[in-house]
Amino acid sequence: MSQDDVSLEARLEEQDTFEPPESFVEQANVTDEGIYEEFEENWPECWEGAADLLSWEQEYDTVLDEGGAPFYEWFTGGELNASYNCIDRHVESGDGDRTAVEWEGELGETRSYTYEELLEEVQAVAATLRELGVEEDDVVTLYMPMIPELTVAMLACARIGAPHSVVFAGFSADALATRMNSSDSEYLITADGYYRRGDSLDHLSKTNEGLEDVEHETATIVVDRLGDDLDHSLADGQHDYEELVDENRGETVEPVTRDAEDMLFLMYTSGTTGQPKGVKHTTAGYLAYTAWTSQAVLDLEPGDTYWCSADIGWITGHSYIVYGPLALGTTTVMYEGTPDYPDKDRFWEIVEKNEVDVFYTAPTAIRAFMKWGKEYPEKHDLSSLRLLGTVGEPINPRAWKWYYKHIGGEECPIVDTWWQTETGGHMITTLPGVNEMKPGSAGPGLPGVDTRIVDAQGEEVDAGEAGYLTVQKPWPGMLRTLYQNDERFIEEYWEEYSDPDADEWVYFPEDGAKIDEDDYITVLGRVDDVINVSGHRLGTMEIESAIVGVEGVAEAAVVGGDHEVKGEAVYAYVITEDGYEGDDELAEEIVEGVVDAIGPIAKPEDVVFTPELPKTRSGKIMRRLLEDIASGNELGNTSTLRNPEVVDEIAAQVQDE
Ligand code: ATP
Ligand code: MG
């Protein structure tokens, strides 16, 4: 490193607030800080602006109907179609030639659809689904990898009013069957396979295995993604996508009229903490909210090229690859593969080639990039970027600063967006053209979103103190219920802090958080992930953040394990950065780092260096397995892991010590 680099690094390290870069603010969609007050004073009518981003067949008459709280209804009386909003209206207004979907296959092939082409393809698939017997309100399951047919299929479902239930392609056969049974879904679109690090993966066999456990007849359409790379034959009741769809190309399928509160889709949560929940989202509120947050938070404009590297199999892909960006008329990039294929600069190659304006990814990916080194982004011209985002877990300041400097060139704001499958869209984040950024803290609740941190009794905590995150007013993108399970909906989200007798409803996302004097919220993690050491409650994410702040550490997971004296003790599992040894010296530095940041109470009992951490397919650390290892328990179910083999490796290592 040159002398300049060293002083730059040192300056960044010290700095804990960042103003939005001038060049960004000059062009941002939202720049007036008065927006917070305006929304508060004018709530819930403040959400009319979000509804105005949509085209309605019939104007709504009520913004918010609280009569059945907590079964809130938004924009009631209104009628619209999501597929029309995401496609037709852009074609009708003369933007049919603009690219809607730009797809990058892992092997380097590309496919793109203009809005006009997307319209044609969506109608063909909609016609095909109808031919197969799909009627309005039938749930169609989409068990597909990241191929354009997935986006097309979602919009085709929306067009004919058939809610989709996307099951992440990385999930097991069992997960598919559970979700299809739970949603009584009799229609399935899947694919023969897809590519991962150059290898072809057989997805069809897994699908068939799952279908064996589905309790009802299913009509299945199979996309041929692998061609000659997979020798497959279709069973009875299974149809080749291209054969069926091709017959319907050129068909016109009018978008059906949906009520504002008609179900748009069903999405099962990732299941990090237990049984997945079938989250129900409806048409108007969800679409208005994703469009509005795409505009205000992701700063998207028609004509932007935008890339969210998430998988459509989880909510981020639904809201911010498909519905939000397409409702605004943006070009949305879809990538099939992994960030390190064929090399560790694949993402930056995609950014450069497509001149991506806005990029949205997960902290786990950023920590991997950091571990691989800045030479990979440095090979590419990333100057097209204007804004960066993160989602999925807290981002620790060191990773934030790396992202800010090496990807954004210190010219792009970063939005650290806290939200959930259940919230439909962003809830806590800075507005990139308005607020200063504080690495490690997501920011204030969005305008109109009433987030408060409370103690166990529901009283608001003071600045600096930790408590429970709550949302005290409804918002348009909220889940309406858990599919066919209103009781569990109340139990999971509303029971904790509401006062039903007074008709006061408080949404509890089950995350812990801290708030500072500027109302910036730092999410500490799920309340289940809190460790109780000698009566002190410690957030796993906070300890992890302290550990990844130590030089030489790439990633860390912290869990509570049984301890004779303390009840629970802190156990740390750590991945080192390239070029660093996981030795006693580093372990000592880690312990010191935690003690410095949080206090001796959080001192790890044991630091275990490991090459990998057990992760779900969506990239979240599966802490309960590490807890089993730390406590010496029998290992729990590993079937939804992306890398089940590491669990045994870590267990063996701990026993050897
Ligand atoms: P399940 O609810 O089934 O256990 P899940 O909570 O992992 O699964 P998601 O809805 O995908 O499913 O994840 C939402 C959770 O992710 C949040 O509740 C929070 O714990 C975490 N999260 C998301 N974004 C952030 C962020 N920016 N900062 C901190 N935590 C985040
Ligand atoms: Mg959750």
Side-chain angles (χ1 to χ4, degrees), residues 268-277 279 314-316 360 363 390-395 415-423 428 440 442 469 488 492-493 509-512 522-529 541 616 618 620:
Y268 288 85
T269 58
S270 54
T272 319
T273 49
Q275 273 302 312
K277 298 158 278 230
V279 169
W314 58 308
I315 191 69
T316 305
Y360 193 31
T390 72
V391 55
E393 49 177 329
I395 177 163
V415 285
D416 170 358
T417 58
W418 178 90
W419 58 294
Q420 309 179 291
T421 309
E422 294 89 340
T423 69
I428 303 175
L469 177 57
R488 188 171 174 206
E492 291 273 352
Y493 308 108
E510 300 187 289
D511 277 355
T522 299
V523 178
L524 301 173
R526 297 141 201 289
V527 285
D528 308 29
D529 285 341
M541 292 192 188
T616 64
S618 64
K620 284 186 171 146

Side-chain angles (χ1 to χ4, degrees), residues 291-312:
W292 185 82
T293 46
S294 293
Q295 188 182 66
V297 179
L298 298 175
D299 197 51
L300 296 186
E301 285 169 42
D304 272 347
T305 299
Y306 156 76
W307 180 26
C308 165
S309 74
D311 195 290
I312 290 179

Side-chain angles (χ1 to χ4, degrees), residues 221-275:
I221 303 180
V222 183
V223 179
D224 180 4
R225 163 75 185 113
L226 296 181
D228 294 339
D229 280 353
L230 184 81
D231 180 25
H232 65 259
S233 48
L234 301 181
D236 271 357
Q238 298 191 328
H239 311 273
D240 179 72
Y241 178 96
E242 194 48 38
E243 246 168 54
L244 287 192
V245 173
D246 201 42
E247 280 176 23
N248 289 311
R249 291 215 169 90
E251 291 282 319
T252 303
V253 176
E254 293 298 334
V256 304
T257 304
R258 298 287 278 170
D259 283 343
E261 283 293 328
D262 278 343
M263 171 155 54
L264 178 59
F265 67 87
L266 183 62
M267 155 128 263
Y268 288 85
T269 58
S270 54
T272 319
T273 49
Q275 273 302 312

Side-chain angles (χ1 to χ4, degrees), residues 387-406:
L387 174 71
L388 302 173
T390 72
V391 55
E393 49 177 329
I395 177 163
N396 52 291
R398 214 157 67 91
W400 192 102
K401 288 174 186 178
W402 190 93
Y403 194 34
Y404 187 71
K405 175 163 184 232
H406 297 292

